[in-house]
Amino acid sequence: MSDAADLGAGPARTFRRPLGGGWFLRQPSYFLYMVRELTVVFMTAWLVWFLYEVWLLKQKAFVSLNGNYAVLVFSVVCLLFTLYHAVTFLNLSGLILRIPIGDRFAPAVIVKGLAFGGLLFVTVVGGAVMVYLGYVKL
Amino acid sequence: MEFPLYDVLIVGGGGAGLRAAIAAAETDPGLKILIVSKVYPMRSHTVSAEGGAAAALRPEDSWENHAFDTVKGSDYISDQFVVETFVREAPIELIQLEHWGCPWSRDPDGKISARPFGGMTTWRTCFAADKTGFHMLHTLFQTSLKYDRIERLDETFVTSLLVEDGRCVGIAAINQRSGVMSAVRAKTVILTTGGNGRIYAFSTNGNICTGDGMALAYRAGVPLKDMEMVQFHPTGLPSTGILITEAVRGEGGYLTNNKGERFLKDYVPSKMELGPRDIISRAEVTEFEKGNGFEGEYGNYMHLDVRHLGEETIDRKLPFMRELGLDYVGIDIVHDPIPVRPVEHYMMGGIDCDITGATSLPGLFTAGECANVGLNGANRLGSNSLSECLVFGAAAGRAAAHQAQEAKAPTSNPVDALLKDETRRVEKKYLESRQGTEKLAEIRVEMQRSMDEHVGVFRTAEGLKEEEKLIAGFRQRFARLKIEDRSHVFNTELTAALELDYMLELAEVMTASAINRKESRGAHARRDFPKRNDEHYLANQIATHVPGGKPKLEFRPVRITHWQPQARTY
Amino acid sequence: MAETVEVTVQRYNPETDSAPRLQTYEVPYKDDWVVLDAILYIKDHLDATLSYRWSCRMGICGSCGMNVDGHPKLTCSAHLREYRRGFTVEPLSNFPVIRDLVVDIDDFMAKLKSVKPWIVRELEQPLGDGEYLQSNNQIDHYRQFSQCINCMLCYAACPVYGMEPEFLGPAAIALARRYNLDSRDEGTVERVNVLAASEGIWECSFIGECSVACPKGVDPAKAIQQTKFDTVNGAIMSTVLMPFGNRR
């Protein structure tokens, strides 16, 4: 800062306004953002449960929970949150990923298409592998 | 009390001021440079310039051509030596700005492009889409951040130049954050405070364009030059005065009256919409008087039509205009004609200075719109002003830097005394007085409206004399001003009052100068003296402050090098 | 009886107030007025002590940003007809208030400078050789990010900046990217330290409100996420794939 900055300046009390804890309730977009952040909790919870089931399998203490409605509901809720996270994330791929084509860049629509296509591909292939290996019975 | 000392102190942080600062820093990296501005630099009014900056860059162009266009455009009272220098320097400045990152629009070969512009016989107006001033200002400001030696005092309002022993030794200014007035010593001061459009009610200028530097210099005894020469831009939006760039006409737009005619065929047949601004503005007003204008809530207007250009061209070359149309008039210029009317835009007049920006007060320099270096004479060609800021901002920066290398540092004691006087003056006049009865806004609005009416596109002896009386009345009322805001922190009523004080001073000079030039030349059009009179008035009018009295006015013959005055027809 | 609209304004005078307070005014309603016109009316006719910043009134100088009904807006482009039933004007969020509607932007000015927003080159081409060649397509790469008018609506809209004032912020990062993408610039490496610092791009959790608030379509959120992607890419390239390669 310049020496001249304190031109005999007296104290000017600026007033700081705190953001406040309820800031995310002020606007729908802020609230949806927090929901998006919340999806991590559900994804983590489901992953922990899944690892627990794998551990049980190793202990040979696995009990099939097919038909257990609590687990089913839990899984569906987690799936919905995960999809919400994935869709909002991949939607932005068109903006963020810049694929150069000559002097210009690929249009956002194409990049998004590739991103969602990629998700679909991994889902289908992953599911096929699971079926093939017998982890999932159709 | 020790006051801070700088080698080069620049008042005003717009195109010219920032360019001057960078030029001074590059001349001598050891110099201490300070930019004092009443706003943050990116708010300076350079930011609103749209159309472009002219320079004879292209191989098919020539300095001589650019110079002649400028001299003819000035109606032959520009200083031809200054013009010749300007047209040689302008190309270098535009390249320099490009090197600093300015996003000039390009031709297919990657070189800087150019568009046609009013009064220019060839395409030499370089542009950055239709936001040339914005890009120029931000490029200059961001580049200025590179230099550690360039310091800034933002939101600091200069109330007076400090003069000691016939030399400018610094400034007195109010720090708006604290409200405290203090002084800064400087070996050289450069005034780059821009125009004074807010003297008029209908102007493209922003709130900050109040002629501060012109008034500061004037009161310090420095003469002002050609103060009667006010440019009215032909195409402003009728309600707000927002500028619709000349580039619209450059790209091929048509001006039509209420009969759908391109009426300029009767006024500027060979150039049509690309005629010089003064002639087109007068054409519009004449058409209004004939009843050929559209009638609206805010007065008469004409149509500026670009529908034939097509959406693609408009989005590529005039995107900002499309936004402005949608935002402020609710029209899409792709489908609707734009309502426009003449609007105050630029001050050709300003602080008298030589080609290096030096004024009659040792230590004081000036550049840009607040200066009158002799480039624009009685009428400025569009796109010469942005180039002017660069060329003469750089010139003043270098000249001030060189002078500062030799000059003695002003001492603090005399500055202290001057500051005390100045602080007393401001406090007594504005903050302490309880006797006042007049409201600031009322005086300001009445002044603005009367200037619009009497010192506008067409002037008459009666109108000007009436204005003279009115201004005297306004100044008396101003002496009885009542400031409601007595606080110190960010008191914008105080700064508005100081600005009004400057504007009233300048309005007096402008009106007196207009009365005294008994001819029509360039932008100064007298109904009672409709012809140009080279015998008596091939000269610049110099106005000097007489404390307590009317300005002293005299004429100084113009310097002609190559081009003898001819009839100015297009 | 002329139509009026009720305008509530946050006032604060540090010399007399310990905290901001609200004051209400009755302002004429005109269909083609903007919020700034209402504020100008208050100062000219009702209360000359109201302080605020404004200049160009055409959305290019960036002075007049304020919160209108809780949302950061350029008051010179906020039309009164969208607030027919009355509205509240407050200083821009997340900035300390100096007086009334005037906020302290020194933090922003410092951040602007910190990203080195100028052309960085090892060798400057002499002026006599003319301009650096650049195509309009190349300008398109960075054009959007060059439109910032420094109005700071994006900082006001960003809760991260509200909670963590050290965050570099949308406009500064977008400006850094503008230069990084400029074909004439070679300064990406120089800007990485500031951008990839913990208060830089990684502070951003992509709420996206900055881009919503931006009146010039700069899309700073896009700039930040692109910078994140490029920075990670660059880090991988330089450490894993091309450790001795050209750094640019």
Side-chain angles (χ1 to χ4, degrees), chain A residues 116-134:
Chain A
F116 278 101
L119 178 65
L120 201 62
F121 178 77
V122 167
T123 308
V124 165
V125 166
V129 165
M130 299 276 270
V131 167
Y132 178 74
L133 292 176

Side-chain angles (χ1 to χ4, degrees), chain C residues 75-175:
Chain C
T75 51
C76 68
S77 345
H79 293 280
L80 225 52
R81 51 180 180 265
E82 291 168 33
Y83 301 99
R84 191 64 194 87
R85 273 180 277 213
F87 57 95
T88 303
V89 184
E90 294 161 302
L92 225 47
S93 345
N94 303 337
F95 289 96
V97 186
I98 297 174
R99 161 97 189 258
D100 291 339
L101 299 164
V102 179
V103 294
D104 182 347
I105 66 166
D106 284 349
D107 178 51
F108 169 73
M109 299 300 287
K111 284 171 178 163
L112 201 66
K113 182 169 175 170
S114 72
V115 300
K116 304 199 184 184
W118 51 78
I119 295 286
V120 173
R121 286 183 70 93
E122 208 181 318
L123 279 176
E124 284 274 344
Q125 184 176 290
L127 294 184
D129 286 356
E131 63 269 56
Y132 297 119
L133 294 181
Q134 188 174 64
S135 68
N136 283 330
N137 279 350
Q138 286 176 306
I139 300 181
D140 283 344
H141 294 173
Y142 66 89
R143 186 189 305 279
Q144 190 179 16
F145 303 139
S146 73
Q147 303 295 312
C148 175
I149 61 176
N150 298 352
C151 64
M152 287 159 291
L153 299 194
C154 53
Y155 285 74
C158 177
V160 173
Y161 183 63
M163 288 185 282
E164 314 284 331
E166 347 53 91
F167 176 37
L168 191 53
I173 299 173
L175 188 61

